[in-house]
Amino acid sequence: HLCYSRIMRIFTFVAMLTIIIGLASVFVFSVFSSYGIFKNPTIHKIVLSILVVMPILLIITHLVGYSSYSKINSLMYTGTVIWFGWFLYVFCASVILGFLYFFIKQAPQSILTSICLSMMSLVTLLVGYAIWNASHPVVTTMKVTIPSLSPLWHDKKIVLFSDTHLGLVRGEKFTERVVELVNTQNPDLVLMAGDMIDGPTIPYETFSAPFKNIKSTYGTYYTPGNHEWYNVTPDKFITVMKHLTKALIDEKFVVNGTQIIGINYGVENEDATQARLTQTGFDKTIP
């Protein structure tokens, strides 16, 4: 049943992605042709080849990554997803250019081409910034004031982070940067709130190993998010994290007279979640 479900999910993903990229490609190509970008036969062929080859590579590398990990496939997948992100921006730009064309279509061809190329340059700059931004996490600081907390928490620092999404794009080097950023904060307590990995198969121990270097007075606590369970073999990753952190999966741990509770991800109603919270031993009289 699980195998059939996974196959259907993969088939649906491939079908939907193919249809979406295909329709978007036709639209983008039509708009850019109106602006005179593809008049050169060579450029015309190159663009068509890219629009056909890149989606195929994106799907193949994604599917291969689900069953096994290799550095070559990881690099190819990274290249295709960067292209896909760029293409999504190009599609949005094409929508703007499409509307604009009705008002300026009488303009000289040279002006139309210049407008289109300027929009493409802007898109490329935005994507470049997005790639840089995704690789440089930002620290946001807030002060927590809860009268019921123990005085032992006075002037203490808690670092919470999530969504590292280790996978075919992000690996051990990214984990090392995150750990370095966490340690720079000199935390008294560290909370990892899930989505540490994505769907594909990865070398879990290697990619997660830097987490053991997190320095915290009262320890590091981890709870899975929904993306852990999108993974092919989530139990392997959870096992690794149990050796590197204090994993709280529907469990409670008390630190300085304060309950730290990790609730596992689940698609359920509020009553079911409340029941699991109760099963952890949650005590409303304790912070």
Side-chain angles (χ1 to χ4, degrees), residues 35 73 98 105 119 126 157 162 164-165 167 184 186 218 280:
Y35 279 82
N73 186 68
K105 59 184 177 181
M119 184 69 82
L126 282 172
K157 185 180 289 186
S162 66
T164 52
H165 291 281
T184 300
N186 297 314
Y218 300 118
T280 66

Side-chain angles (χ1 to χ4, degrees), residues 178-195:
V178 171
V179 170
E180 182 181 359
L181 186 60
V182 169
N183 287 338
T184 300
Q185 312 310 310
N186 297 314
D188 293 291
L189 184 78
V190 175
L191 303 175
M192 300 170 63
D195 285 2

